[in-house]
Amino acid sequence: MKARLAASAALALGIAIGGTGCGMVTYQATTERYDPSDGVSAEVGSLAVRNILIISEDGDEGSMTLSVSNSGSEDATLELQVGSETVEVDVDAGQTVAPGAGDEEPLLIEGLDAEVGGLVPVFVTTDGAEGREISVPVLDGRLPEYEDLVP
């Protein structure tokens, strides 16, 4: 009787683990951070750069739009180098700025030399932090949300 009870308990435990334990060993895609929009993101120093992209009609001149949040306790300047041109975005401590969003003007990039629909390397850095290069998408104004950003 005890053997039968032990076998039943072991079988029930095996079924319970087999039916519910797969989440313990299976890869969970929801734990991965990703960019849910058309742009890309980067972290540099205390700055979080989100949804950075360039809008251009011909690949020669473009409007860069992005969002930058400063989680630090000091003001910071984000430097973005595209080819030979460098643009800067000042971000106060604990604040977020978004050139190209709402009433904010986008950052104008001249001499872009990029292919619309492709990627362009952008080097991002800030005060005293190690910079990094990211591949930023270059889009045109076909989508309604970008048509007003075409330079």
Side-chain angles (χ1 to χ4, degrees):
M1 182 75 164
K2 287 185 181 184
R4 183 183 248 177
L5 185 60
S8 296
L11 180 62
L13 182 62
I15 290 172
I17 290 175
T20 61
C22 63
M24 295 172 44
V25 294
T26 302
Y27 168 75
Q28 299 293 314
T30 56
T31 61
E32 293 293 321
R33 191 187 76 72
Y34 70 99
D35 296 308
S37 187
D38 296 325
V40 293
S41 300
E43 306 277 335
V44 59
S46 64
L47 300 179
V49 184
R50 300 288 182 251
N51 199 32
I52 179 172
L53 59 103
I54 298 173
I55 310 299
S56 177
E57 195 64 42
D58 56 10
D60 293 328
E61 183 179 53
S63 296
M64 182 182 288
T65 179
L66 65 149
S67 172
V68 186
S69 296
N70 183 353
S71 63
S73 58
E74 296 183 14
D75 297 349
T77 299
L78 175 69
E79 292 181 12
L80 302 126
Q81 183 178 356
V82 183
S84 62
E85 187 169 348
T86 301
V87 293
E88 295 182 345
V89 179
D90 294 322
V91 188
D92 293 337
Q95 298 297 311
T96 299
V97 296
D103 294 334
E104 297 289 324
E105 288 294 317
L107 305 172
L108 186 62
I109 308 294
E110 295 178 353
L112 183 59
D113 192 30
E115 185 176 329
V116 175
L119 300 171
V120 65
V122 175
F123 187 78
V124 294
T125 189
T126 188
D127 317 309
E130 183 177 341
R132 60 184 288 204
E133 186 175 276
I134 57 175
S135 296
V136 174
V138 180
L139 304 176
D140 59 16
R142 285 186 227 172
L143 296 174
E145 56 267 29
Y146 301 140
E147 64 187 10
D148 293 338
L149 297 172
V150 176

